[in-house]
Structures are given as structure tokens and as C-alpha cells.
Amino acid sequence: MLAEIITIGDEILIGQIVDTNSAWMAKQLNQIGMKVKQITSVSDDADHIMEALRLAESRADVILMTGGLGPTKDDITKVTLAKYFNMGFRRDEETLNHVTEIFARLNRPMIDLNRTQADVPEGCTVIKNKNGTAPCMWFEQHGKIFVSMPGVPFEMMYLMDDEIIPRIKAAFKLPVIYHKTILTSNIGESFLAMEIEDIENSLPPNIKLAYLPKLGQVRLRLSTIGEEEAPLKAAVDFYAQQIIARIKHHVVAEEDIALEKAILNFMEQRKLTLSTAESCTGGYIAHLITQHPGCSSVYEGGAVTYSYDLKMSLLGVKAETLAKYGAVSEETVKEMALGALQNFKTDYAVAVSGIAGPDGGMPDKPVGTVWIAVAHAKGVVSKVFSFGNKRTQNIERSAAAALSMILNELRQHED
């Protein structure tokens, strides 16, 4: 069974917001055995929406739409859907009561424009949006299902989880899709492919291997589709174990998780703690770590120290070290890491100091120069990197390199 996703809104096409809805929805659909044929973003233009609907209907069984359901004139999805299906409008009393309750609870006046949220195309099934005022609308035409949802991500997610996914599963007999992901680090995509070339060549036609590279890591994803989960899982796991045995020194996790989550799991199992001392990354490493529930069992905290004063007062970096070598130096970053280790009383600490850019470079320290150090009870290791002149990329690459260094130290001590 095939699905298509249509996201509606000028704000997507001009880059004002990033379309995270499509990626999230595609993942949920894949998990229930429905393949996404295409993802399309269109402007707030009736003709564009109509054309997107016609094309989607010609190639997919389920068409999921988000956006354009607000009460203002630029929100035209509802009107366009009524035109597409040749329907008039009716006022849905349950939706009107729901909207009225929301405005009463917020102690805000409700105007006629807000009441129009309850006006829906006559032939649709209304699905209550418990987290907003715009209702979800379900249409069935010519053996196809069309679903229109709000563009607000958390509203869409609740609707998908609670209503849309269960209804799709009830409407179709869906196959089983099984994925096995292997997270690797410290090996490039091409070298990885060379290492496992014979295993990849031996895969049966129904098992596909995908390489998913990211900064400092590559995910290998084995996928298959069929009727029964047990034999699919057994077949995929058989080849996954061959790959894991071949590249075991590069395997970080045997599941689809982020590198920092794999580090947190590793440290939690061994009751180890971690702290951070960041300069050019501005707390980005701490952000990556703290986005994962349960991180507090490992991560004690950190410091973002841009100025010399804070490097000295919070991390104990010596004034003479900064005066002689500067903030972006091996000497300074080592003292930052050791200071975090001591002051935050953790088993491991990572420190980063560099020139993220686009300004601030010097002949001997150009933009993109980054020093990283990892400290622990047995000492401190450091490494210099030369990334580039793009600030955002330098921050992301610095964080990825820091995580890889933490992982390497953890593994060496484990060995």
C-alpha cells in the first residue's frame, strides 16, 4: 500500500520553517508497513493544491495533508478540498462546542472568524483535534483515503498516533516491514562498504542494505518486507550478525539511536558520569546529550565559557596559560577538561575550544581550528581539528568529533 504526504504553506517554500511533519509522518507510516511514494510541499494556492491532490490520487492509496486549516483568509486547504470533492459546507456542532470550550477556558472572546473553524465539507468525517481548534478531516473517494490535519506539529502527532494510524491499519491489510540498524563510528562510508562488500553481495533480493552517513558516524540499515515478522527478523538478523562480526571494532550500537545516546547507554551501564566544558560550541554538546530522557543518570552538567574570566573562575584555567597560548590551544583545552573533571566531580569530561567563524581567524589559527580534550582519572587526551569557515557546520562537526573522542576513550578503558 502506498501513501503520499502533502504539506501546505508558503512558509515552507520560502524556508521560513522546516518541514519536520513529513519526516515524522513517513516514519510512522513505515512502521505499520505502508510505503511513502512521494512527499510534496505546495504553496497556499488553490490551483497548486488541486494539482497536488490529483497527482497524489493517481499514485497513492492514502494521501495525508498538513497545513492551511486556520481561520484566516490565507488558510485555504478546507475550501480547496470542498472544491476538489465537489462538496458544500456544514457546521459541525461537536467542533463548535470544542472551540467554544477552548476560548472559554482561556478567557478569550470568541469572534465569528473562530466559529468558522467548525465549518467542514459536507462529505468528510470529522476527527476531533483535542489539542487545537482546527478539526482533522477524513475523506474516502474512489477507494482512496484523504486526511487533512493541522500543520502544528504536536497537534498532528497526537492525531496520527491516536486516530489516523489505527484507522489506516483497520482499513488495509498491511505487510510487515522490518529494519535492523547498526550504528558505526570512526570509519568512512566507502571503507565500510569495502569491508562488508562480500556480505552485501550475498544478500537475498528481498533484503536491502542502506548506508546512512552522518558527521563522524555511519548507520547501516538492513530492511525487508513480507507477511510474517518472525521469518523476516530471523533472515535480517542473520546477515546483521555477519556484518557486526566483521566490523566489530567500529560498531557503536545495534539499534537506531544517536551517537550521544549510545554513549549515555554505555556509561549508564557502567555507572560512569560525564561533564562538559564548551567554548565555541556554545552548549551544543550539552543540548545533544540532554535531549535524551534519562540523561541525568550520566550527565552531571557543564559550563559554557567564552571569556577568559569564566575559563579561569569556573574551570580553573591558569591566567599564564591563556596569556601564553591563547584560548584556542592544546594547553588551554586540556586545563578546561581537567577543570570540569575536578569541579563537576565526574568520571569523564570533554572540553572544546575553537574558532567557529566566520571571523576571528589568525594566520596560525584560521577559522575552523578546534581543540578538543577528554579527561578522566588516567589522564587527558587532546586533538586539534581543522574544519572550515562555516560557523554552523564547525559547531556541529566539533560536537561530533567530541562525542567520537569520548567514545574512543571509553572503549580503550573497557579493553
Side-chain angles (χ1 to χ4, degrees), residues 122-347:
E122 289 175 335
C124 77
T125 298
V126 176
I127 300 174
K128 184 177 179 181
N129 175 9
K130 299 176 183 177
N131 298 281
T133 58
C136 172
M137 295 171 290
W138 176 290
F139 301 83
E140 295 189 25
Q141 292 279 335
H142 310 124
K144 308 294 179 77
I145 292 173
F146 299 76
V147 185
S148 177
M149 293 174 283
V152 180
F154 81 91
E155 293 183 27
M156 176 275 297
M157 290 176 183
Y158 278 114
L159 282 164
M160 282 287 290
D161 282 339
D162 296 344
E163 299 285 350
I164 308 308
I165 293 295
R167 290 171 186 246
I168 291 174
K169 289 169 70 175
F172 300 102
K173 186 181 187 310
L174 298 172
V176 174
I177 294 178
Y178 179 70
H179 299 294
K180 173 69 176 180
T181 301
I182 305 166
L183 177 64
T184 70
S185 182
N186 293 324
I187 184 171
E189 181 182 5
S190 57
F191 290 100
L192 193 54
M194 288 176 57
E195 285 287 322
I196 63 173
E197 182 179 11
D198 60 317
I199 301 174
E200 184 174 4
N201 290 338
S202 71
L203 293 174
N206 66 317
I207 297 179
K208 308 298 181 184
L209 175 62
Y211 296 80
L212 308 170
K214 195 178 176 181
L215 293 173
Q217 56 194 282
V218 179
R219 286 179 296 163
L220 297 172
R221 189 190 66 219
L222 289 157
S223 303
T224 189
I225 185 169
E227 297 299 323
E228 297 182 23
E229 182 175 3
L232 295 177
K233 184 177 183 300
V236 168
D237 289 351
F238 171 77
Y239 290 99
Q241 290 309 312
Q242 289 188 39
I243 293 173
I244 291 166
R246 179 73 59 83
I247 58 168
K248 60 183 178 181
H249 295 298
H250 298 289
V251 174
V252 178
E254 297 179 28
E255 56 183 320
D256 190 10
I257 58 175
L259 181 58
E260 68 274 5
K261 177 58 175 171
I263 290 170
L264 288 170
N265 290 348
F266 186 97
M267 297 185 76
E268 183 179 20
Q269 290 166 8
R270 292 155 182 80
K271 301 189 184 307
L272 298 172
T273 55
L274 175 67
S275 59
T276 54
E278 301 183 62
S279 185
C280 66
T281 46
Y284 185 64
I285 299 171
H287 159 70
L288 291 176
I289 292 170
T290 56
Q291 67 181 325
H292 298 286
C295 66
S296 58
S297 62
V298 171
Y299 186 61
E300 294 289 336
V304 178
T305 57
Y306 256 67
S307 70
Y308 277 25
D309 286 343
L310 283 181
K311 284 182 174 69
M312 291 186 289
S313 62
L314 292 182
L315 300 173
V317 177
K318 299 183 182 67
E320 51 267 33
T321 300
L322 290 165
K324 185 175 181 179
Y325 300 105
V328 183
S329 65
E330 180 177 23
E331 291 78 10
T332 294
V333 81
K334 280 184 172 180
E335 290 187 13
M336 288 172 65
L338 289 168
L341 189 76
Q342 179 179 351
N343 294 340
F344 297 130
K345 296 179 175 57
T346 55
D347 299 299

Side-chain angles (χ1 to χ4, degrees), residues 369-388:
T369 302
V370 178
W371 276 97
I372 302 175
V374 177
H376 42 73
K378 295 183 180 180
V380 58
V381 297
S382 60
K383 188 175 181 180
V384 66
F385 297 85
S386 181
F387 293 126

